Structures are given as C-alpha cells and as structure tokens.
Amino acid sequence: LAHGVKDETVDVEHFHRMQKALRSFGKDATFLLFDNEGHGFSYLASTMEFYAALDQFFRRTMDLPEASLELAMSDAPIAE
C-alpha cells in the first residue's frame, strides 16, 4: 500500500484506514507513505523505492528467489 502525503485527490486518511484494517486482519502488507509525493509518483527515488518494495512483496508472498544481477543477465528462461 503506497500513498503520497501531498495527494489532493485521495486524502491520506484513506491510507491510514486501509493500513489499520489490513493490520487488524493480520494481512501481509507493505506500507509506504511518501512525504513529497501527491497522486502518483513524481520523483525517481519514490518510484524506485515503490518498485523495490513491490518486488520484495511478490518474492515473499509468491516464494520467489531473490533477484540477482547474475540471474538478470543470464540466458535462463523466465519460466519452464
């Protein structure tokens, strides 16, 4: 779950309510709150942090191997 504090379309309170609900039900979730972002990402650092967290979430919840430069640069097939 990611949200920009400066979002003028969706109030940050919705982020906090969803965060509370997910935690209360014991759901596996990652929470990212960006102080300098609005509705969408404007900064490369935020985008990179979001996609890194998303990658880690998918790897954790789908039992995927850790990313590696060797794997990324190999000729190995993506799927069998």
Side-chain angles (χ1 to χ4, degrees), residues 1-68:
L1 183 63
H3 196 90
V5 172
K6 295 180 179 179
D7 190 338
E8 295 179 3
T9 304
V10 179
D11 193 278
V12 71
E13 179 58 28
H14 292 279
F15 170 88
H16 293 297
R17 288 170 49 194
M18 181 61 81
Q19 182 182 42
K20 183 178 178 181
L22 290 168
R23 284 182 173 159
S24 73
F25 285 99
K27 298 299 179 183
D28 184 3
T30 300
F31 304 103
L32 301 172
L33 192 57
F34 296 98
D35 292 329
N36 61 338
E37 294 289 4
H39 195 77
F41 298 123
S42 299
Y43 297 96
L44 180 59
S46 301
T47 303
M48 291 176 65
E49 183 178 349
F50 172 77
Y51 282 110
L54 184 63
D55 176 71
Q56 287 302 307
F57 177 80
F58 284 145
R59 289 178 191 288
R60 184 175 71 248
T61 59
M62 297 170 68
D63 196 30
L64 298 171
E66 286 298 313
S68 73

